[in-house]
Amino acid sequence: MSTPRIGEIALARGVTATWWYTAVGVLVFAGFAVVFWVLWAWVSPDLETPWHLPLTSAGGIAWLAAGVLLLLDYRPSVYAARDGEVHRPSRLHLIGLGLAALSAALLGIGTSSFLAAVAVVGFVLAVRPWTPGVRWRVVVGATIAIGIVMFLEARKFGEQGIPVDAFAAPGFFVVMTPLMTAFSLWWWEIVLELDRARAAESQLAATRERLRLANDVHDLQGHHLQVIALQLELAERLLARDPTAAAEQIRAAQGAVNEARAGTRALATSFRGVPLPDELENAADLLRAAGHDVRMHVGVGAASAPADLLGPIVRESVTNVLKHGDGAHARIELANDGGAWVYRMVNDAAKHRERTGTEANIAWGSGLTGMGERLKASGGEVEAWNDGTSFTVQVRLPITASNAAAPLGEHA
């Protein structure tokens, strides 16, 4: 099993924006370093030939392009070496490394500075997904090496009569690039771990609720079954010598059965299921495991959506995608739209492409039909349509006092 890229994990956990903020921040910092090197090649009296500036500019562009590719292929350090797996570099990663090598050569030649080439190497070392504990040793070592190179080159430029102050700005960004990159990615991994902890907490809460239900069902059914067994055993013994008393015991056993059924129904009614955001994440994970490219958007306040009503719809719509989709793409959406919860499942349903109108509605199965009938009691409705390229199931459920879920933590 291959280690997921950071973007794939982020999409699964709904914190994609944080990752892109981090990646853009890393690239912006590298971009400042590139700008200062271009300015250095432009104003440095030691670089008067016309080809220094184009080479430096091309090297800077190659650096940023390499950064984009390496960040797109980035995997967090906690997954870099898991269960003894060996993860071979992807084509994206290899292209990024090739561009980084080209950038180092162009910047080094264009600026006539070994420090410019070392800057790219330090950036690549910081972006590489090292195993836990290794990254910081590598980054600190790279920073010390860059500092030594900067000191030596500053002395060289000073001996040539070039003001050291002019070398300070690019030198600062070069020295700080590995550290800033590593700190940014480290901060992102903290966000990822916090998000994973939140998901684990939600799953643990759901597991505890299931255990509570299991214990309650065990106690309820165990008590009534024991009573019923005793009553039927007594009725069997009385049947030959006192049929009236035996019939009375049978009627009592029937009453105990009815009590058990009523108690089980009441228990099931009071049971709170898995929170709807977790239900949606489980659905996305199931579709990804089946080979779908899944995109999910969950609006603000989704934790308060009625999981008892929408949860079965989510499960039925996933089943529909697995049965009728062609296994390529799916999109899951849940949002509060004008006083109603709107849930959508969109997939490229190849098996439905020739179906339109009523046939498309029939294709979604009796399960969703039953859920639609159930939603009618709460004023909800289920729609499905086929536009020729995708099949959409949409649920609209008005937010009322009867179907508004209580906040997390209000259930035992």
Side-chain angles (χ1 to χ4, degrees):
M1 179 179 61
S2 61
T3 301
R5 294 189 181 96
I6 195 72
E8 295 169 349
I9 300 172
L11 285 170
R13 297 296 176 222
V15 290
T16 311
T18 308
W19 161 246
W20 290 118
Y21 292 149
T22 303
V24 169
V26 169
L27 293 175
V28 166
F29 196 87
F32 274 110
V34 170
V35 169
F36 279 115
W37 281 120
V38 171
L39 292 175
W40 169 263
W42 188 16
V43 303
S44 175
D46 191 43
L47 304 176
E48 296 179 351
T49 55
W51 49 268
H52 280 287
L53 184 58
L55 284 180
T56 303
S57 301
I61 294 173
W63 183 357
L64 295 179
V68 170
L69 295 180
L70 293 174
L71 288 170
L72 285 175
D73 193 59
Y74 180 74
R75 291 171 171 83
S77 61
V78 293
Y79 299 108
R82 183 181 61 181
D83 302 329
E85 297 176 358
V86 177
H87 303 286
R88 297 178 180 176
S90 67
R91 179 177 298 179
L92 202 67
H93 189 81
L94 293 176
I95 295 174
L97 291 179
L99 284 174
L102 176 63
S103 170
L106 292 176
L107 283 174
I109 297 172
T111 62
S112 295
S113 171
F114 184 64
L115 183 62
V118 172
V120 182
V121 176
F123 175 82
V124 172
L125 291 176
V127 173
R128 192 187 183 323
W130 301 97
T131 54
V134 175
R135 164 178 284 158
W136 289 110
R137 291 195 291 269
V138 172
V139 169
V140 171
T143 302
I144 293 173
I146 291 173
I148 293 173
V149 174
M150 179 181 174
F151 175 76
L152 295 176
E153 289 209 349
R155 288 186 57 185
K156 181 188 73 172
F157 289 130
E159 293 173 355
Q160 295 174 355
I162 299 175
V164 179
D165 292 343
F167 195 65
F172 169 77
F173 277 94
V174 167
V175 172
M176 293 302 296
T177 293
L179 286 175
M180 289 299 297
T181 302
F183 271 118
S184 298
L185 297 177
W186 173 68
W187 173 81
W188 160 252
E189 292 190 15
I190 290 178
V191 173
L192 181 62
E193 287 300 309
L194 289 175
D195 189 68
R196 292 179 63 217
R198 178 205 59 77
E201 182 181 9
S202 299
Q203 293 175 359
L204 180 60
T207 301
R208 287 176 176 172
E209 192 73 359
R210 291 190 184 98
L211 289 175
R212 182 191 67 80
L213 176 66
N215 289 333
D216 290 347
V217 170
H218 177 270
D219 294 341
L220 176 68
Q221 298 290 353
H223 167 73
H224 284 95
L225 288 175
Q226 186 176 14
V227 171
I228 293 169
L230 291 174
Q231 289 171 331
L232 291 178
E233 183 179 355
L234 180 58
E236 183 182 13
R237 293 182 179 181
L238 293 174
L239 190 60
R241 63 176 185 272
D242 192 348
T244 302
E248 184 66 25
Q249 292 300 321
I250 292 175
R251 284 192 292 272
Q254 290 175 337
V257 170
N258 292 332
E259 290 180 7
R261 292 172 60 188
T264 302
R265 189 180 301 110
L267 185 61
T269 302
S270 64
F271 172 64
R272 176 183 171 90
V274 177
L276 197 58
D278 292 338
E279 189 82 64
L280 294 172
E281 289 184 0
N282 292 337
D285 290 341
L286 181 61
L287 291 175
R288 288 192 182 96
H292 292 73
D293 178 16
V294 181
R295 295 293 180 266
M296 185 167 66
H297 173 73
V298 179
V300 177
S304 62
D308 56 335
L309 294 175
L310 293 178
I313 290 288
V314 173
R315 292 189 290 272
E316 287 290 345
S317 62
V318 170
T319 301
N320 178 65
V321 173
L322 294 176
K323 283 184 177 180
H324 303 296
D326 64 1
H329 303 285
R331 187 172 74 253
I332 302 173
E333 300 176 358
L334 176 66
N336 186 335
D337 181 19
W341 291 111
V342 177
Y343 165 76
R344 292 189 190 90
M345 172 70 80
V346 184
N347 73 288
D348 46 348
K351 297 179 183 178
H352 297 308
R353 266 183 203 143
E354 302 301 326
R355 304 180 183 183
T356 58
T358 305
E359 288 184 308
N361 289 329
I362 293 174
W364 54 323
S366 59
L368 283 176
T369 302
M371 293 298 103
E373 294 174 355
R374 179 182 178 185
L375 285 176
K376 288 181 181 179
S378 300
E381 60 179 358
V382 182
E383 300 176 279
W385 63 86
N386 189 341
D387 62 6
T389 60
S390 63
F391 188 75
T392 302
V393 173
Q394 176 176 289
V395 174
R396 178 176 288 273
L397 180 64
I399 301 176
T400 63
S402 61
N403 66 29
L408 293 177
E410 293 187 7
H411 297 267

